[in-house]
Amino acid sequence: MKGKPIEELNKGIEVFKREIQQDPIAALRVEVAIITFGPVHLAQDFVTIDDFISPVLTANNTTPMGEAIEYAMNLLEDRKETYRNNGMQYYQPWVFLITDGAPDPDSPWQRASQLVRQSDSEKKLSFFTVGVEGANMNILKQIAPPIRPPLMLKGLDFQSMFVWLSQSMTRVSSGKVGGGMTDLPPVGWGQIST
């Protein structure tokens, strides 16, 4: 993602931060980590919104998507282990994969896909896959859990996507930890790719 797409993604992340900060409960409960890939890099470790500093994301020419997914899954498991070791409950985590390309040919994305699908089906997380113009939606369909197919972002409307995400996180964080499903706002920022 270069040029205008990465600029809009960076703006969208800022919108997400502002929106979460407006809800005092969500601001205390929502934690965010950001991993970039090309190469895989922890751009922001888990923090609550009050400590979140939006990194300025940049693009490179490689796409080690499988390695990035596995890194994210390990980071998430480590975070959950920290909560368990301290006797704390936590909400089911959400993971967003956003890409405008395809994995590098030697990237173990199939292995990562199996991990994603298994973790999602066991309700260890909710995995969302978002393609931006140029994304290989056929591969994203193989990565995304069957119950949550990949969405193609409408144009470069990252801001609407992040408003939806913040509204969803606000609803989830106001519910009981370990509670039932929460009704989420309608997705107007993307469409299911056929």
Side-chain angles (χ1 to χ4, degrees), residues 35-87:
I35 298 162
T36 60
F37 47 102
V40 176
H41 171 71
L42 179 60
Q44 173 65 66
D45 202 352
F46 281 105
V47 292
T48 55
I49 289 297
D50 58 333
D51 289 329
F52 179 71
I53 298 170
S54 299
V56 177
L57 304 180
T58 58
N60 292 314
N61 293 326
T62 62
T63 312
M65 191 180 297
E67 294 90 341
I69 292 169
E70 289 176 343
Y71 183 93
M73 301 293 275
N74 289 330
L75 183 70
L76 184 56
E77 282 306 311
D78 289 347
R79 189 64 178 162
K80 288 164 43 175
E81 185 66 22
T82 298
Y83 274 101
R84 286 190 291 268
N85 288 342
N86 288 289

Side-chain angles (χ1 to χ4, degrees), residues 126-190:
S126 293
F127 196 92
F128 297 82
T129 313
V130 180
V132 181
E133 185 177 332
N136 185 325
M137 296 306 286
N138 289 326
I139 289 179
L140 293 183
K141 286 178 190 175
Q142 296 173 60
I143 294 172
I147 63 165
R148 206 171 301 103
L151 295 171
M152 175 59 80
L153 185 69
K154 291 181 180 175
L156 296 176
D157 197 7
F158 287 107
Q159 291 189 35
S160 291
M161 182 189 80
F162 281 108
V163 167
W164 175 87
L165 180 57
S166 64
Q167 290 172 348
S168 299
M169 292 289 92
T170 298
R171 288 183 187 188
V172 169
S173 67
S174 67
K176 182 180 175 185
V177 176
M181 290 296 296
T182 301
D183 289 331
L184 301 178
V187 175
W189 50 266

Side-chain angles (χ1 to χ4, degrees), residues 4 18 26-27 34 43 78 97 99 122 135-136 140 148 181 188:
K4 188 73 169 163
R18 278 195 313 270
I34 297 178
D78 289 347
L97 170 65
T99 184
E122 293 173 357
N136 185 325
L140 293 183
R148 206 171 301 103
M181 290 296 296

Side-chain angles (χ1 to χ4, degrees), residues 95-123:
V95 177
F96 263 71
L97 170 65
I98 304 170
T99 184
D100 69 345
D104 291 338
D106 60 343
S107 179
W109 67 268
Q110 295 95 336
R111 183 178 68 210
S113 170
Q114 291 172 346
L115 182 59
V116 163
R117 288 169 172 241
Q118 179 180 351
S119 295
D120 198 280
S121 72
E122 293 173 357
K123 304 209 181 304

